[in-house]
Amino acid sequence: MELKNYIAGEWVEGELQTMPIINPATGEHLGTVPLSTKTEIDAAVQAAKKAQKEWALLPAPKRADYLYEIGFKLKEKKEYLAQILTKEMGKVIEEARGEVQEGIDMALYMAGEGRRLFGETAPSELANKFAMSVRAPIGVVGLITPWNFPIAIATWKSFPAIVAGNTFVWKPSNETPMMAYELAKIFEEVGLPKGVANVVFGTGPTIGTAMIEHPDVRVISFTGSTATGSKVAELGGKHLKKISLEMGGKNAVIVMDDADVDLAVQGIVWSAFGTAGQRCTACSRIIVHRDVKEELEEKLLKEMRAITIGNGLDPDVKVGPVINRQALEKINHYVQLGKQEGATLLTGGHILTKAPYDKGFYFEPTVFTNVSPNMIIAQEEIFGPVVSIIEIDSLEQAIEVNNGVRFGLSSSIFSRNVNTIFKAQQLLDTGIVYVNAGTTGAEIHLPFGGTKGTGNGHRDSGQAALDVYTEWKSVYVDYSGTLQRAQIDT
Ligand code: UN1
């Protein structure tokens, strides 16, 4: 399949260079993606700008009607989309279905916002005067999305943007462009007015930069690595853009001495090795109380023996490939580093090179133990199926270790003690906290995001996402028929 950009409601062919789309499970060539330039970004921004005036004037419940239709289409195509998602990204089919479901949920949830988008009314300090705040759309927004959740994260950003009256230009990841192409087809099928949604394929340095620098793009919403996010913020800051960033994580599961260890092990396996560890919410540290460490290690190893690795289209497979060769090498680099740092390799640690794994990019689920909190493998985001066990002997120490990293996305605690749990949820410094569940599985109607190196204070999802795509406008209506001066005529 040769993908095309979707600009102003047209599928645009250009004399562009292309890049292959590869199935990470098999190495199969799935198609090509165009590598666009500033010219295509300019055209897309112009289309979005032109469409935005009229779109913003359409009542929000009418804008929302399109989102309902998009949600229904996503539902109708759920299986078809999940199959493509597994082929281009590698996540196992059950997770791919879950990801499409996340998009459906977001469409219907944000469609509901069309009849809310609440502002506030407030009493004026003057008689016969009315005061209120309303959410106003901002204009053209630029979206930059990653490959690990190619459809869900796109819906987290684009749906609140359009229900609030903005139009957008979207640069999806080149690793997973087919999902973007499919979503653009849905925009077309439901008759979304031309120019409201534009998709331009290409590289970050070329088209991402062009989008951030474009004077008519007012907001940039980015999800990706902390290194790239920091560049986006720097450039965006220079051009006074509103920048919303979702970046890395170094998420931990804390297992206290009174925990249900069997349940904790299940939560760890699901959140550390699901999606082959390629979630920004993935569990990559286990902070375990010394009294249950041995039991946890034993049970973890037992549970891991049941993990089938392979092509995610096979419903029995639990862990699929990682995205590409570069990722495989990066993960391997961290594993070697862990060994050099003196951590004990409990299981895994290898790239799988023998058939049937030789054509794809597979890394064995890996556990290090006897890891100290300051080792590099316990500090940096690995983004693969690698987890480090760190021993502690109190809740205070567990919190200190959890918080002692530069990221702050997600954390989890397993305990049966209500005091421990409430103390932990207060002191864990992450944007998301789970109790008696792993570190993944955020639901779309709550804010999603993190503290410190994970974000810059904004949130995807939930009502909070609307704050990214709207400006507050305060409106004062004086119906006294006289000049009333605030702060003076008391
Ligand atoms: C991500 O990894 O970037 O909470 C998103 C979760 C998913 C979303 C993850 N609902 O794990």
Side-chain angles (χ1 to χ4, degrees), residues 102 146 148-149 153 156 223 278-282 383 409 432 434 439-443 448:
E102 204 163 328
N148 70 332
F149 274 80
I153 293 180
W156 293 1
T223 297
Q278 301 169 109
R279 292 192 187 213
C280 48
T281 51
F383 226 65
L409 183 53
I432 306 171
Y434 290 94
T439 55
T440 61
E443 300 176 29
F448 181 95

Side-chain angles (χ1 to χ4, degrees), residues 133-151:
S133 64
V134 295
R135 287 188 184 276
I138 304 182
V140 178
V141 306
L143 311 177
I144 303 175
T145 58
W147 50 262
N148 70 332
F149 274 80
I151 189 152

Side-chain angles (χ1 to χ4, degrees), residues 50-121:
K50 197 164 155 229
Q52 200 261 331
K53 271 196 186 133
E54 217 172 302
W55 182 245
L57 291 177
L58 195 66
K62 295 270 185 307
R63 294 196 294 261
D65 283 344
Y66 288 101
L67 276 182
Y68 280 117
E69 293 303 324
I70 291 168
F72 301 150
K73 273 272 179 233
L74 284 168
K75 199 167 175 191
E76 191 184 303
K77 294 186 173 188
K78 181 172 171 181
E79 186 57 30
Y80 163 80
L81 294 169
Q83 298 276 334
I84 297 176
L85 175 47
T86 292
K87 279 188 204 150
E88 75 168 347
M89 187 277 164
K91 67 176 63 177
V92 301
I93 190 70
E94 191 185 17
E95 290 181 21
R97 290 184 189 121
E99 183 180 340
V100 178
Q101 186 59 46
E102 204 163 328
I104 299 168
D105 295 342
M106 188 51 105
L108 301 185
Y109 172 68
M110 275 300 158
E113 277 312 307
R115 286 187 185 269
R116 287 187 295 263
L117 282 178
F118 294 135
E120 291 173 327
T121 60

